[in-house]
Amino acid sequence: MKKFTVFAAILAVALCCLALGGCGTDDIDISSYAGEEIVLGGIEEEEQTVTIADLKNMDCRTLRTHSTSDKIGNVKATGPELGTILEKYGLTKDDVDKVVFHGDDDYEVPLTGDYVREHDIYLAFGIDGEPLDAESAPCRVIIPESDSAYWIRMVNVIDFVIDRD
C-alpha cells in the first residue's frame, strides 16, 4: 500500500506540472536553424556567439504566458532565461546596465538594467511546441506579461552594457 501511495503522489505531481505548463520543456525540432548564431556583444572584450543548438542545450523552460497588448495573445514559449546565458560568462543580471536586442529585420529593443533585473526574459527557440517560423527564427524574445513590442523576433545580435566595477 505504501508503494502505491508514493507512486500516486509522484503521478499527481507530474500531472500538475504538465497541466500548468511550467515544468520541463517541449522537445522542439530546431534542426532547420540549430546552427544559426546570435552575436553577444559586450560580455567579453571580443564578441561571442551562441547558436540556437547552444541555447537548447542550456537550462530551458517551457512556459505559458501572454502579452499585455492584443497583438500576440497567449503563447507557450520554450527557451533559456537571459540570466542563464550571462551565467555562462560569469555574470548575472545585476551586472547589466543595458541590453539591446537586434532583429534581422533591423528592429531593435533597448532595455535598461533595471528592467532586465525586474523581468524574466526568455530567448525562445520554439513557440506552442513547434519550431519558430521563418518570420521569427532563429530566436524570439519573450518577456512574460509585457507589451509584445518587446517580444522582438529574428534575434541575431544581443548587445550588453556591463557594469565592470
Side-chain angles (χ1 to χ4, degrees):
M1 185 65 169
K2 186 176 183 181
K3 287 182 184 178
F4 176 76
T5 303
V6 169
F7 175 75
I10 291 171
L11 182 60
V13 168
L15 289 174
C16 284
C17 285
L18 287 173
L20 295 174
C23 281
T25 61
D26 286 339
D27 186 25
I28 309 290
D29 177 11
I30 60 166
S31 59
S32 65
Y33 53 94
E36 295 279 333
E37 293 182 337
I38 299 172
V39 174
L40 306 175
I43 285 189
E44 293 187 345
E45 282 191 35
E46 293 185 24
E47 288 183 339
Q48 301 296 306
T49 60
V50 61
T51 66
I52 301 307
D54 293 336
L55 292 180
K56 187 173 182 181
N57 287 325
M58 292 180 181
D59 182 21
C60 294
R61 180 171 175 214
T62 295
L63 67 146
R64 293 182 191 275
T65 190
H66 65 277
S67 67
T68 56
S69 61
D70 293 333
K71 296 175 190 168
I72 295 180
N74 295 316
V75 298
K76 185 172 81 168
T78 301
E81 205 276 331
L82 185 65
T84 303
I85 293 171
L86 291 167
E87 286 174 11
K88 182 178 175 185
Y89 296 95
L91 300 167
T92 69
K93 289 175 22 172
D94 288 335
D95 298 316
V96 175
D97 287 332
K98 183 178 180 180
V99 157
V100 182
F101 294 97
H102 302 268
D104 196 33
D105 59 355
D106 295 325
Y107 186 70
E108 64 181 50
V109 172
L111 301 174
T112 66
D114 287 339
Y115 190 91
V116 169
R117 285 184 285 284
E118 293 169 5
H119 294 83
D120 292 330
I121 301 169
Y122 292 91
L123 300 176
F125 51 79
I127 299 289
D128 296 331
E130 299 293 328
L132 295 178
D133 61 25
E135 293 180 1
S136 294
C139 179
R140 180 165 201 155
V141 171
I142 301 291
I143 306 172
E145 300 184 32
S146 70
D147 189 312
S148 63
Y150 296 144
W151 294 21
I152 186 170
R153 56 194 175 95
M154 297 186 286
V155 174
N156 62 354
V157 175
I158 305 173
D159 285 321
F160 294 89
V161 176
I162 303 294
D163 180 7
R164 301 282 181 198
D165 294 331

